[in-house]
Amino acid sequence: MDATAVALGDTTRSDTPRSDTAPTRADSPGPGPAGGPPAGGPRAAAPPAPTPPDPPAAAPDAAAPDPVVPAQAAPRDSGRPAGPAQRHARPVITELRLSAFGRHRSAAFPLGPVTLFAGPSGSGKSQALAAYEALAGLGAGATLDEAFPDAATRIPDRALPDAQRRRGFRLGCTVDGPAGPVRLDLAVQADPTLRIVGERLSQDGQILFATALRDPGRRSVQAAWLTGGAVGVTRAPLPDDRLGTALLPLRVAGSTAGQRQVLAAAEQVVVALRSVFACDPRPDRMRAPVPRGEGRLLRDCANLADVLRRTRRECGTRHALLAEAARTGCPGPVTGLDVRAPESGTVTAVLDRGPGRPATELARLGSGELRFLALALVLLTGPGVLDMDPAAELLSARQALTVLADGFDHGLDGGQSAELLRLALLSCGRGHVRLVAAVGEGAAAAARRLPGVSVVDLSV
């Protein structure tokens, strides 16, 4: 392995987290992702970099080769057996790979419409969701510092630095959609400086785009992407603190078949990554009246009352579904959700208790009730009501919202958890919403009995 590799170090641990399906070994990128020659095209002139073992040992001091991509696209009918019919009309992440991330080693987690991570404390549930959220942030244009504010904690357990004192982590995902399954793999150096040292975008075993850190003294990586035609491959420097895949639509013209294949794969990945909303309701911030605003729900759901004001006015059907859910999740009689919003004052949300009964303000509700209402609202609404920035180039009907929720059932009783799972199955069954959440053993046990829910069991 060359000098730009991320030294994740050997470890004495023999235990790894497991899912319901045995995790498969993920092919993660080194600094110069490489693969075998495609069926139907010669290899680019640059020599291939050896594929690192997982996890890699400390890297010796050597020069880094150029990233390698095939010179032309392999024909779709190049002797490969026909795959199954396309199942995803909208771009969605169908697998999360944590090759070397925190306590996870060589782990691959399949993701369905409703996926719940379960396991004891310290098993890596939160780390898996943090990896998903970080990839989503990078896809939306965030820098590495923004996506990994605590990068040092993501270095694999007991990882040893190399001779240059470098350590890092590796992760990736598979995005399915109209273009077919596309793999994204990423290698990140965390120590001594945070930077991307290898990125790879591939499809059907063919590398479409790759980057490598050639000169550690420069804050850039050497990128190469499939062009086809007379040129074969295009090379250019890209910043080492941003996801190169997200920058491709700005750099690739799309004038050749190879470029169009690269663009289709990159845009599918970016759309899936940008269609993510991480929800972490904070009951302590949800009780006070809030000023009028745009009615877009914040991550901590502190402006829940203002969002309820908007949904009551603009979407009566969804507001009625939320009120119906409140009858199950909130003790006592509930006839509806209402707001008190004087023109010159703040907005207060209340539970309507019916004729002759005083309404109950949100400030009087318990933490579990507030978390339940916030999560139910997220599952029943769409990106237009959430504080997120989905891909504007596609209609919302062509995108699938993915909700991330760490501690999904935190503070909830069994009835509230069951109702949220019912809402999740109802919303995710239509294909417009997906849920990836971490839950406790109680909710996981109930979810295992529900068809349509995938439970990933992590063990210490």
Side-chain angles (χ1 to χ4, degrees):
M1 174 174 269
D2 56 66
T4 61
V6 180
L8 301 176
D10 292 324
T11 177
T12 58
R13 300 178 60 138
S14 60
D15 51 336
T16 56
R18 301 185 181 275
S19 63
D20 289 340
T21 303
T24 59
R25 187 180 186 84
D27 295 328
S28 299
R43 182 183 293 276
T51 302
D54 191 6
D61 200 2
D66 286 339
V68 178
V69 299
Q72 50 183 295
R76 290 290 182 179
D77 57 350
S78 57
R80 289 190 300 270
Q86 178 58 251
R87 296 173 300 166
H88 301 284
R90 306 173 185 86
V92 294
I93 296 178
T94 55
E95 183 182 67
L96 175 67
R97 291 186 298 280
L98 303 180
S99 304
F101 190 88
R103 65 162 290 105
H104 296 287
R105 307 296 286 253
S106 304
F109 305 114
L111 304 177
V114 180
T115 304
L116 305 180
F117 285 85
S121 178
S123 60
K125 303 186 297 293
S126 296
Q127 286 184 343
L129 266 67
Y132 196 130
E133 184 179 356
L135 286 172
L138 291 172
T143 64
L144 277 181
D145 288 327
E146 294 167 337
F148 297 104
D150 50 356
T153 66
R154 307 309 180 189
I155 298 173
D157 295 350
R158 305 180 187 177
L160 301 177
D162 67 2
Q164 287 75 41
R165 309 300 300 171
R166 294 171 301 180
R167 297 189 304 165
F169 49 87
R170 295 186 293 170
L171 69 166
C173 64
T174 297
V175 178
D176 207 345
V182 179
R183 286 176 58 107
L184 171 68
D185 294 290
L186 192 65
V188 178
Q189 174 186 295
D191 288 338
T193 56
L194 184 62
R195 63 198 313 177
I196 292 175
V197 296
E199 181 180 347
R200 182 170 60 196
L201 191 69
S202 60
Q203 187 173 29
D204 295 334
Q206 179 188 26
I207 299 173
L208 304 178
F209 166 74
T211 69
L213 179 63
R214 298 183 60 195
D215 185 353
R218 295 183 179 181
R219 295 312 306 258
S220 64
V221 292
Q222 182 66 29
W225 58 86
L226 184 69
T227 304
V231 177
V233 173
T234 300
R235 303 182 189 277
L238 291 178
D240 68 352
D241 65 341
R242 293 183 184 273
L243 189 70
T245 298
L247 301 176
L248 285 177
L250 303 175
R251 303 295 297 268
V252 181
S255 56
T256 68
Q259 289 178 340
R260 288 190 289 272
Q261 184 181 356
V262 172
L263 280 176
E267 290 174 351
Q268 177 169 287
V269 169
V270 171
V271 168
L273 292 177
R274 291 180 63 177
S275 304
V276 171
F277 180 72
C279 184
D280 181 23
R282 296 286 301 272
D284 57 316
R285 302 179 183 178
M286 298 164 60
R287 302 180 190 280
V290 297
R292 286 174 177 266
E294 297 180 352
R296 289 168 58 104
L297 190 67
L298 302 174
R299 175 193 177 111
D300 62 1
C301 304
N303 63 334
L304 177 64
D306 187 49
V307 179
L308 292 176
R309 175 189 62 82
R310 178 183 173 187
T311 59
R312 188 189 64 165
R313 184 181 72 250
E314 297 181 3
C315 190
T317 300
R318 290 180 178 177
H319 191 84
L321 288 173
L322 182 60
E324 180 181 346
R327 282 191 278 274
T328 301
C330 299
V334 177
T335 60
L337 284 169
D338 204 352
V339 293
R340 297 168 181 166
E343 290 297 328
S344 59
T346 55
V347 182
T348 301
V350 298
L351 291 181
D352 188 348
R353 297 296 190 178
R357 295 174 178 267
T360 303
E361 295 184 0
L362 260 60
R364 295 182 175 273
L365 298 182
S367 296
E369 294 171 280
L370 290 173
R371 285 183 53 84
F372 171 85
L373 288 175
L375 291 168
L377 174 62
V378 172
L379 292 172
L380 289 172
T381 188
V385 186
L386 305 175
D387 187 27
M388 57 182 294
D389 185 24
E393 61 270 19
L394 285 183
L395 296 174
S396 59
R398 301 291 302 274
Q399 302 180 53
L401 167 68
T402 297
V403 177
L404 298 183
D406 194 3
F408 183 70
D409 59 334
H410 178 69
L412 306 184
D413 60 31
Q416 291 169 330
S417 297
E419 177 64 9
L420 283 182
L421 286 176
R422 185 190 73 81
L423 293 178
L425 288 171
L426 175 67
S427 299
C428 298
R430 303 189 180 108
H432 291 278
V433 179
R434 293 167 72 87
L435 173 66
V436 179
V439 298
E441 186 51 43
R448 291 187 185 96
R449 300 190 292 268
L450 296 177
V453 178
S454 302
V455 179
V456 178
D457 288 308
L458 303 176
S459 58
V460 176

PDB file of all heavy atoms in Angstrom, residues 434-449:
ATOM      1  N   ARG A 434     -38.655   6.665   3.786  1.00  0.00           N
ATOM      2  CA  ARG A 434     -37.935   5.535   4.351  1.00  0.00           C
ATOM      3  C   ARG A 434     -37.484   5.930   5.760  1.00  0.00           C
ATOM      4  O   ARG A 434     -37.286   7.110   6.039  1.00  0.00           O
ATOM      5  CB  ARG A 434     -36.725   5.163   3.490  1.00  0.00           C
ATOM      6  CG  ARG A 434     -37.118   4.622   2.132  1.00  0.00           C
ATOM      7  CD  ARG A 434     -35.938   4.556   1.195  1.00  0.00           C
ATOM      8  NE  ARG A 434     -34.988   3.506   1.519  1.00  0.00           N
ATOM      9  CZ  ARG A 434     -35.071   2.258   1.100  1.00  0.00           C
ATOM     10  NH1 ARG A 434     -36.098   1.890   0.342  1.00  0.00           N
ATOM     11  NH2 ARG A 434     -34.153   1.368   1.420  1.00  0.00           N
ATOM     12  N   LEU A 435     -37.327   4.943   6.625  1.00  0.00           N
ATOM     13  CA  LEU A 435     -36.935   5.194   8.009  1.00  0.00           C
ATOM     14  C   LEU A 435     -35.744   4.330   8.360  1.00  0.00           C
ATOM     15  O   LEU A 435     -35.747   3.117   8.145  1.00  0.00           O
ATOM     16  CB  LEU A 435     -38.097   4.879   8.960  1.00  0.00           C
ATOM     17  CG  LEU A 435     -37.776   4.932  10.467  1.00  0.00           C
ATOM     18  CD1 LEU A 435     -37.445   6.354  10.895  1.00  0.00           C
ATOM     19  CD2 LEU A 435     -38.947   4.380  11.283  1.00  0.00           C
ATOM     20  N   VAL A 436     -34.700   4.963   8.890  1.00  0.00           N
ATOM     21  CA  VAL A 436     -33.547   4.255   9.450  1.00  0.00           C
ATOM     22  C   VAL A 436     -33.381   4.783  10.871  1.00  0.00           C
ATOM     23  O   VAL A 436     -33.157   5.980  11.073  1.00  0.00           O
ATOM     24  CB  VAL A 436     -32.266   4.506   8.633  1.00  0.00           C
ATOM     25  CG1 VAL A 436     -31.087   3.768   9.265  1.00  0.00           C
ATOM     26  CG2 VAL A 436     -32.455   4.062   7.189  1.00  0.00           C
ATOM     27  N   ALA A 437     -33.508   3.906  11.865  1.00  0.00           N
ATOM     28  CA  ALA A 437     -33.552   4.357  13.249  1.00  0.00           C
ATOM     29  C   ALA A 437     -32.825   3.375  14.155  1.00  0.00           C
ATOM     30  O   ALA A 437     -32.652   2.200  13.826  1.00  0.00           O
ATOM     31  CB  ALA A 437     -35.001   4.518  13.711  1.00  0.00           C
ATOM     32  N   ALA A 438     -32.408   3.873  15.307  1.00  0.00           N
ATOM     33  CA  ALA A 438     -31.841   3.053  16.367  1.00  0.00           C
ATOM     34  C   ALA A 438     -32.876   2.934  17.476  1.00  0.00           C
ATOM     35  O   ALA A 438     -33.475   3.939  17.874  1.00  0.00           O
ATOM     36  CB  ALA A 438     -30.554   3.671  16.908  1.00  0.00           C
ATOM     37  N   VAL A 439     -33.097   1.717  17.973  1.00  0.00           N
ATOM     38  CA  VAL A 439     -34.144   1.481  18.968  1.00  0.00           C
ATOM     39  C   VAL A 439     -33.598   0.606  20.089  1.00  0.00           C
ATOM     40  O   VAL A 439     -32.564  -0.052  19.955  1.00  0.00           O
ATOM     41  CB  VAL A 439     -35.385   0.805  18.340  1.00  0.00           C
ATOM     42  CG1 VAL A 439     -36.007   1.693  17.278  1.00  0.00           C
ATOM     43  CG2 VAL A 439     -35.020  -0.560  17.749  1.00  0.00           C
ATOM     44  N   GLY A 440     -34.343   0.601  21.200  1.00  0.00           N
ATOM     45  CA  GLY A 440     -34.042  -0.281  22.307  1.00  0.00           C
ATOM     46  C   GLY A 440     -34.600  -1.665  22.062  1.00  0.00           C
ATOM     47  O   GLY A 440     -35.330  -1.916  21.100  1.00  0.00           O
ATOM     48  N   GLU A 441     -34.299  -2.575  22.983  1.00  0.00           N
ATOM     49  CA  GLU A 441     -34.681  -3.961  22.786  1.00  0.00           C
ATOM     50  C   GLU A 441     -36.198  -4.151  22.802  1.00  0.00           C
ATOM     51  O   GLU A 441     -36.732  -5.007  22.084  1.00  0.00           O
ATOM     52  CB  GLU A 441     -34.043  -4.848  23.858  1.00  0.00           C
ATOM     53  CG  GLU A 441     -34.276  -6.333  23.661  1.00  0.00           C
ATOM     54  CD  GLU A 441     -33.932  -6.817  22.260  1.00  0.00           C
ATOM     55  OE1 GLU A 441     -32.888  -6.399  21.729  1.00  0.00           O
ATOM     56  OE2 GLU A 441     -34.725  -7.597  21.700  1.00  0.00           O
ATOM     57  N   GLY A 442     -36.919  -3.347  23.593  1.00  0.00           N
ATOM     58  CA  GLY A 442     -38.370  -3.498  23.633  1.00  0.00           C
ATOM     59  C   GLY A 442     -39.010  -3.226  22.286  1.00  0.00           C
ATOM     60  O   GLY A 442     -39.834  -4.015  21.795  1.00  0.00           O
ATOM     61  N   ALA A 443     -38.657  -2.097  21.680  1.00  0.00           N
ATOM     62  CA  ALA A 443     -39.206  -1.769  20.365  1.00  0.00           C
ATOM     63  C   ALA A 443     -38.728  -2.760  19.312  1.00  0.00           C
ATOM     64  O   ALA A 443     -39.467  -3.118  18.392  1.00  0.00           O
ATOM     65  CB  ALA A 443     -38.812  -0.345  19.980  1.00  0.00           C
ATOM     66  N   ALA A 444     -37.472  -3.216  19.425  1.00  0.00           N
ATOM     67  CA  ALA A 444     -36.947  -4.176  18.454  1.00  0.00           C
ATOM     68  C   ALA A 444     -37.714  -5.494  18.521  1.00  0.00           C
ATOM     69  O   ALA A 444     -38.014  -6.107  17.494  1.00  0.00           O
ATOM     70  CB  ALA A 444     -35.461  -4.404  18.702  1.00  0.00           C
ATOM     71  N   ALA A 445     -38.025  -5.953  19.752  1.00  0.00           N
ATOM     72  CA  ALA A 445     -38.760  -7.205  19.894  1.00  0.00           C
ATOM     73  C   ALA A 445     -40.133  -7.115  19.249  1.00  0.00           C
ATOM     74  O   ALA A 445     -40.582  -8.053  18.578  1.00  0.00           O
ATOM     75  CB  ALA A 445     -38.883  -7.561  21.377  1.00  0.00           C
ATOM     76  N   ALA A 446     -40.797  -5.968  19.424  1.00  0.00           N
ATOM     77  CA  ALA A 446     -42.108  -5.792  18.789  1.00  0.00           C
ATOM     78  C   ALA A 446     -41.970  -5.676  17.273  1.00  0.00           C
ATOM     79  O   ALA A 446     -42.804  -6.200  16.524  1.00  0.00           O
ATOM     80  CB  ALA A 446     -42.785  -4.546  19.354  1.00  0.00           C
ATOM     81  N   ALA A 447     -40.910  -5.031  16.808  1.00  0.00           N
ATOM     82  CA  ALA A 447     -40.731  -4.828  15.369  1.00  0.00           C
ATOM     83  C   ALA A 447     -40.427  -6.132  14.652  1.00  0.00           C
ATOM     84  O   ALA A 447     -40.788  -6.286  13.476  1.00  0.00           O
ATOM     85  CB  ALA A 447     -39.610  -3.827  15.128  1.00  0.00           C
ATOM     86  N   ARG A 448     -39.773  -7.068  15.336  1.00  0.00           N
ATOM     87  CA  ARG A 448     -39.442  -8.339  14.684  1.00  0.00           C
ATOM     88  C   ARG A 448     -40.685  -9.105  14.274  1.00  0.00           C
ATOM     89  O   ARG A 448     -40.624  -9.973  13.394  1.00  0.00           O
ATOM     90  CB  ARG A 448     -38.580  -9.198  15.610  1.00  0.00           C
ATOM     91  CG  ARG A 448     -37.184  -8.643  15.836  1.00  0.00           C
ATOM     92  CD  ARG A 448     -36.316  -9.614  16.627  1.00  0.00           C
ATOM     93  NE  ARG A 448     -35.018  -9.029  16.947  1.00  0.00           N
ATOM     94  CZ  ARG A 448     -34.720  -8.436  18.088  1.00  0.00           C
ATOM     95  NH1 ARG A 448     -35.650  -8.357  19.044  1.00  0.00           N
ATOM     96  NH2 ARG A 448     -33.514  -7.919  18.295  1.00  0.00           N
ATOM     97  N   ARG A 449     -41.798  -8.818  14.880  1.00  0.00           N
ATOM     98  CA  ARG A 449     -43.035  -9.519  14.554  1.00  0.00           C
ATOM     99  C   ARG A 449     -43.826  -8.817  13.443  1.00  0.00           C
ATOM    100  O   ARG A 449     -44.879  -9.309  13.041  1.00  0.00           O
ATOM    101  CB  ARG A 449     -43.921  -9.634  15.809  1.00  0.00           C
ATOM    102  CG  ARG A 449     -43.277 -10.401  16.951  1.00  0.00           C
ATOM    103  CD  ARG A 449     -44.279 -10.689  18.054  1.00  0.00           C
ATOM    104  NE  ARG A 449     -44.694  -9.474  18.733  1.00  0.00           N
ATOM    105  CZ  ARG A 449     -44.109  -8.988  19.832  1.00  0.00           C
ATOM    106  NH1 ARG A 449     -43.069  -9.628  20.343  1.00  0.00           N
ATOM    107  NH2 ARG A 449     -44.552  -7.888  20.403  1.00  0.00           N
TER     108      ARG A 449
END
